[in-house]
Amino acid sequence: MLPLAHQDPIRILGSPSQPHPPPSQRSSHQRFNDAPGPMTIELFLYRTEPYRTSSESSPLPFPYRTTQMVPAALARLQSIANCPNRVRKILVDLGLQVSSLTPVMRSKVRYAGGAPRPMIKVHVRATDHISFQQQSETGKQQIQGLLTSNGVNGFSVEILDPDRVLVRSIFSLPPSNIIIEAFEGVSKTIVDNLCQRLANKWTSVCLFKVGRTLEQSSYSVFVTVKPGTVSDWQRLQAQTQNIMDAELRRLGNSHLVGTVRADFVPGGWSDGTQPTGAEPSCADGKSFMEDLDGQPKLGCSIGLVGDLSGGGPTHRGFLTSHHVITPPKKHADLFRNHNLTGTVYGWGKEHPLKTKVQFFAEPDVIATKQDIETEIEINQDTLQKREESIKQGELAGMEPEPGRIANRNNLVRTGNKLLELRAAATKLPQQLGHIIVSSGRAQTNESPPRVVDWAFVSVDEFPNMRLSDHNVLPTKAEIGSDIPDKYVKNVRYLAPEGPFQNFGMLEPGRWYFKKGRTSGITGGLCHGTSVVINSSDAPRGSMRPDGTLESPKPVETVNVAIIVNTQLLEPGVGQKSFCNLGDSGSLIFDEDGSCCGLMSGNWSQDTAPLEQTGWSTDYGGGCVESGLAMDMRDVQKWIAQRMAVGGPAQLIIPSKLEGYSKRNANTQSSLTGPIRESLPSSLLIVDGVEFRPATASIHTMKPSPNPTTLDWSCASFALEMARHFQIGPQKLGSKAQLE
């Protein structure tokens, strides 16, 4: 094998069968042999990137977002006579083949130090990394000299080959994989080493195939860390790879030694309402103008309102994630206490953690109203111009053209519809219900532990809101390009038209989809092994058999299923987002339409491809994200454990109601209510689910002589929310009468 300095790193990345180079050379090509020793993760990634040269002292991890340069900065560049041609000549004279030269504002969304800055971005076609580094380094310095000699300071220069710079998509693996078996056998050893070397600075670890595309990917123990973390990354890479190599030898797979590398990148997990380590960022809401009928459909947003009023013995409502209904972090005591205890069933209305829920979330209400007003203004302006055009023609003795008249009439009809939407928007936000029980920030008491994150919101105070069988599954056309045919062989989307009928489970290697508040309908594969997340910054209590929570330990890890949107059957395609901030609480379904999971958070890494979806600026422009999910079996089990001491309980989906029709599905509701603090989230509805606890309480209430029936209807995703029905739900199966 040739020394690493004489190989193409891209080819190495695309060859899983390549053995490792010696430990001293195991990272990517080292920039001027300057990668060993402690440094920030950002500097390490830059110094081991062979096809990127930047004038910044601490370049942001690639990729970043670029937008049009602001006029003031552009004017400064234009003050240099013939600047573009002079920059291009510098690079061409050095032997670089320039493909584009663009003045931009570069930024990295939700990243420390990622605010927009002016940059001259140069794309080139490199022949090899050695020549590129020599030529680009000299070119960068000469361009900087040209700028400063003309009094233009504060601009960075970046030269890269966009086809060869490292962009790390992650690709799902099937569970029956010998490399996964080896990883699961030593994951605790890897975690222990990370804790020893990085303390709480690492955020997650998992095994993936990693590369720009599947064809260019190779196995990697993929570790995310907090931005700005300092360590000897080259040494950590070697240690992690040695652990995997030793396990492969122990399993009798010496021929696979050297096929698994280690990647350390900034990134991690979040609860879905905020980036890791940040406060909720919801300033730019999402408009629901196109879906404004007063009906809280799946995929809409919900938010906190205030104190709770008492409930009755029978409860109807919906399921969402606990972290969605947790008080904001600025209320430190309430935030901490709610995570430690959850909402306990039976708390009185005076309890400070019993809050109400509204839809839409406050930022989305604002965005919806603003969107309507903008459309009204555009419509009125266009209509006025059309009227003036017709009038001028009439004054000139011209007969109005039929097309102009038809266009004017369409504008009038559109304007009337917009005025109706404006009137409907004045009723927003609408009160949706109040929280009567939630899991708290919890984990299972098994080994390894798994995430527990759910909450139930009662709508008892709205008896006319019929939570009947109206969880309508999307059609194949609505799922669009994320159909299972592109992910796994011999799997088709066969979900029946209308409401879903069954619960299922999350199985590694299978295709699933969700519909969320922010990203809508997306599909992906359940990865072959769980991601291990470091929850030491926000510890979780273990659920006891009686439904109460043990106190969190100082340092904890927890396993969670991850769903990755990588279309394995589409050649040359990289990773796409499965979810984004605000999608928590989405129900997750399989190709048959069974409800298999509940989305509990997001996972992202800051060297993944940029998301191309046109979301609002607060959400768009970041790296693609994967979904963290609870299995519905865990949701059912731990709801029962939280509610019913000493006996089993059932969660049952009703059979399809005899009156279901698309006409009934368009029935409107009449909800009203106040506005308070709110966080975006998806609304999930598991329609008409029934639950029988053994008593009407948990640990804080006296036992009731009669069982309590909870008529559930959950909250999230790509189904429509339970519509109004004049008949009650029929139940499937037998219900356990508990003592």
Side-chain angles (χ1 to χ4, degrees):
M1 180 177 178
L2 293 172
L4 188 62
H6 297 289
Q7 298 180 56
D8 189 327
I10 300 301
R11 292 180 181 173
I12 295 175
L13 183 62
S15 305
S17 60
Q18 284 276 7
H20 288 314
S24 63
Q25 298 177 345
R26 275 188 169 179
S27 70
S28 301
H29 174 79
Q30 297 170 15
R31 183 179 301 273
F32 308 117
N33 198 31
D34 199 19
M39 64 186 71
T40 65
I41 183 62
E42 293 83 0
L43 188 57
F44 175 76
L45 291 174
Y46 173 65
R47 288 182 173 175
T48 55
E49 169 55 71
Y51 291 106
R52 178 188 178 202
T53 295
S54 175
S55 63
E56 296 185 343
S57 57
S58 183
L60 290 173
F62 192 84
Y64 44 77
R65 182 170 66 171
T66 59
T67 54
Q68 187 174 5
M69 183 172 283
V70 297
L74 187 59
R76 293 171 60 200
L77 273 184
Q78 291 172 339
S79 68
I80 304 176
N82 204 22
C83 183
N85 289 337
R86 293 168 72 179
V87 169
R88 184 181 295 272
K89 185 176 186 304
I90 288 173
L91 299 173
V92 171
D93 287 349
L94 290 168
L96 285 168
Q97 185 179 352
V98 179
S99 54
S100 70
L101 192 157
T102 316
V104 299
M105 302 297 292
R106 78 95 181 98
S107 61
K108 198 166 183 71
V109 177
R110 303 194 300 268
Y111 200 89
R117 291 187 56 183
M119 167 187 284
I120 296 178
K121 181 186 68 174
V122 183
H123 284 180
V124 301
R125 295 187 181 92
T127 55
D128 63 86
H129 63 270
I130 298 177
S131 299
F132 169 82
Q133 287 184 0
Q134 296 170 345
Q135 295 164 341
S136 62
E137 186 68 25
T138 302
K140 174 195 71 176
Q141 294 173 1
Q142 292 184 11
I143 295 170
Q144 283 287 116
L146 172 66
L147 298 178
T148 55
S149 64
N150 284 273
V152 178
N153 300 308
F155 284 70
S156 57
V157 175
E158 184 143 312
I159 305 169
L160 58 92
D161 185 334
D163 295 326
R164 304 180 88 171
V165 68
L166 294 179
V167 177
R168 296 169 174 85
S169 288
I170 62 169
F171 296 90
S172 178
L173 292 167
S176 55
N177 183 296
I178 190 62
I179 306 292
I180 282 184
E181 181 183 347
F183 171 74
E184 291 178 340
V186 294
S187 62
K188 186 179 185 305
T189 303
I190 292 172
V191 166
D192 288 345
N193 189 54
L194 293 175
C195 290
Q196 181 181 356
R197 304 294 178 184
L198 299 176
N200 68 341
K201 297 295 185 181
W202 71 277
T203 55
S204 71
V205 59
C206 194
L207 179 82
F208 297 105
K209 292 198 79 174
V210 180
R212 180 184 286 267
T213 65
L214 181 62
E215 295 81 6
Q216 294 176 315
S217 67
S218 60
Y219 293 108
S220 172
V221 176
F222 203 78
V223 184
T224 59
V225 302
K226 295 178 181 179
T229 299
V230 176
S231 184
D232 186 337
W233 303 107
Q234 189 170 319
R235 183 182 181 190
L236 262 178
Q237 281 182 328
Q239 291 172 341
T240 305
Q241 291 163 174
N242 287 338
I243 292 171
M244 284 295 297
D245 287 349
E247 180 67 1
L248 288 168
R249 290 190 186 96
R250 190 189 71 80
L251 294 173
N253 292 287
S254 296
H255 64 289
L256 295 175
V257 169
T259 64
V260 185
R261 72 176 193 270
D263 280 299
F264 290 82
V265 301
W269 59 277
S270 77
D271 279 336
T273 53
Q274 73 273 1
T276 304
E279 285 293 321
S281 180
C282 307
D284 293 332
K286 177 180 178 179
S287 172
F288 284 87
M289 187 184 79
E290 300 299 326
D291 207 10
L292 192 61
D293 62 0
Q295 185 67 25
K297 299 181 180 68
L298 293 162
C300 78
S301 68
I302 58 176
L304 301 184
V305 181
D307 295 334
L308 164 72
S309 58
T314 300
H315 303 292
R316 303 162 58 252
F318 61 86
L319 185 70
T320 187
S321 299
H322 164 80
H323 71 263
V324 168
I325 52 84
T326 298
K329 286 185 178 180
K330 63 182 180 182
H331 303 290
D333 291 340
L334 287 177
F335 178 82
R336 181 177 60 255
N337 292 337
H338 201 212
N339 280 333
L340 291 176
T341 65
T343 301
V344 178
Y345 182 66
W347 272 346
K349 64 181 180 180
E350 73 284 352
H351 199 284
L353 292 179
K354 300 195 78 173
T355 51
K356 292 183 180 179
V357 172
Q358 69 181 39
F359 86 103
F360 302 109
E362 177 74 10
D364 294 347
V365 171
I366 295 171
T368 299
K369 292 180 177 180
Q370 289 176 342
D371 195 16
I372 292 171
E373 294 305 316
T374 299
E375 291 299 320
I376 288 176
E377 183 178 347
I378 292 172
N379 174 267
Q380 291 176 344
D381 182 62
T382 306
L383 179 59
Q384 181 181 352
K385 292 178 180 178
R386 177 59 64 205
E387 293 279 13
E388 290 174 354
S389 174
I390 293 173
K391 185 176 180 179
Q392 289 174 0
E394 290 175 343
L395 291 175
M398 299 171 59
E399 188 72 21
E401 296 179 9
R404 290 175 177 264
I405 299 298
N407 179 258
R408 179 193 62 186
N409 294 339
N410 286 335
L411 289 170
V412 171
R413 285 191 291 269
T414 300
N416 291 335
K417 291 179 181 179
L418 288 170
L419 293 176
E420 292 175 2
L421 288 177
R422 174 194 273 172
T426 61
K427 300 177 182 179
L428 296 177
Q430 299 183 1
Q431 187 173 318
L432 190 58
H434 53 263
I435 304 151
I436 62 171
V437 63
S438 72
S439 63
R441 191 178 188 86
Q443 62 189 40
T444 65
N445 53 11
E446 296 141 340
S447 181
R450 298 187 302 279
V451 167
V452 178
D453 187 351
W454 57 267
F456 179 72
V457 181
S458 167
V459 296
D460 294 338
E461 58 201 276
F462 304 111
N464 293 328
M465 180 189 289
R466 291 299 204 180
L467 301 179
S468 331
D469 199 351
H470 258 79
N471 294 312
V472 181
L473 292 162
T475 64
K476 183 176 180 179
E478 289 172 327
I479 291 179
S481 63
D482 281 355
I483 54 176
D485 314 52
K486 296 186 178 182
Y487 295 82
V488 284
K489 294 180 179 179
N490 303 319
V491 176
R492 300 291 183 268
Y493 183 63
L494 301 174
E497 182 179 353
F500 76 89
Q501 299 293 322
N502 302 300
F503 282 132
M505 60 184 181
L506 293 178
E507 297 181 72
R510 289 192 61 185
W511 175 87
Y512 297 95
F513 73 94
K514 71 100 187 69
K515 177 182 178 182
R517 171 260 185 196
T518 307
S519 57
I521 300 175
T522 55
L525 294 174
C526 186
H527 187 47
T529 187
S530 298
V531 60
V532 182
I533 64 174
N534 181 355
S535 59
S536 58
D537 284 350
R540 299 174 181 270
S542 295
M543 192 79 76
R544 297 189 180 101
D546 65 355
T548 59
L549 297 180
E550 296 178 357
S551 297
K553 299 174 183 177
V555 177
E556 292 186 10
T557 62
V558 62
N559 287 30
V560 60
I562 184 169
I563 300 178
V564 182
N565 190 350
T566 44
Q567 298 180 348
L568 300 184
L569 302 185
E570 289 290 296
V573 174
Q575 183 187 358
K576 300 190 297 181
S577 273
F578 180 77
C579 56
N580 210 282
L581 303 184
D583 283 336
S584 286
S586 298
L587 292 181
I588 296 170
F589 295 84
D590 64 16
E591 71 277 4
D592 296 322
S594 296
C595 178
C596 300
L598 174 64
M599 201 182 122
S600 59
N602 299 32
W603 182 92
S604 62
Q605 50 98 1
D606 291 302
T607 61
L610 290 181
E611 179 56 62
Q612 299 301 316
T613 306
W615 298 326
S616 61
T617 55
D618 188 56
Y619 298 100
C623 292
V624 299
E625 304 202 21
S626 301
L628 304 179
M630 282 189 68
D631 192 306
M632 277 307 298
R633 292 172 298 180
D634 283 339
V635 176
Q636 294 170 283
K637 174 182 177 181
W638 294 105
I639 284 175
Q641 184 164 311
R642 184 75 163 158
M643 295 294 297
V645 179
Q650 285 184 288
L651 222 55
I652 304 172
I653 300 174
S655 63
K656 186 175 180 180
L657 287 178
E658 182 179 353
Y660 170 77
S661 70
K662 292 183 178 179
R663 178 180 60 82
N664 288 336
N666 290 324
T667 306
Q668 307 234 347
S669 65
S670 55
L671 302 178
T672 59
I675 248 188
R676 296 281 180 84
E677 297 175 284
S678 56
L679 304 175
S681 167
S682 292
L683 183 68
L684 337 93
I685 293 107
V686 176
D687 175 47
V689 176
E690 183 175 23
F691 176 71
R692 282 186 178 270
T695 68
S697 68
I698 309 186
H699 58 285
T700 58
M701 294 285 290
K702 296 179 180 179
S704 169
N706 299 314
T708 300
T709 297
L710 300 181
D711 197 356
W712 296 71
S713 220
C714 309
S716 170
F717 149 23
L719 317 161
E720 302 212 1
M721 162 150 192
R723 306 288 187 176
H724 293 2
F725 259 59
Q726 301 306 313
I727 54 177
Q730 301 171 357
K731 307 300 178 186
L732 285 179
S734 61
K735 300 176 292 184
Q737 180 67 41
L738 307 176
E739 299 180 359

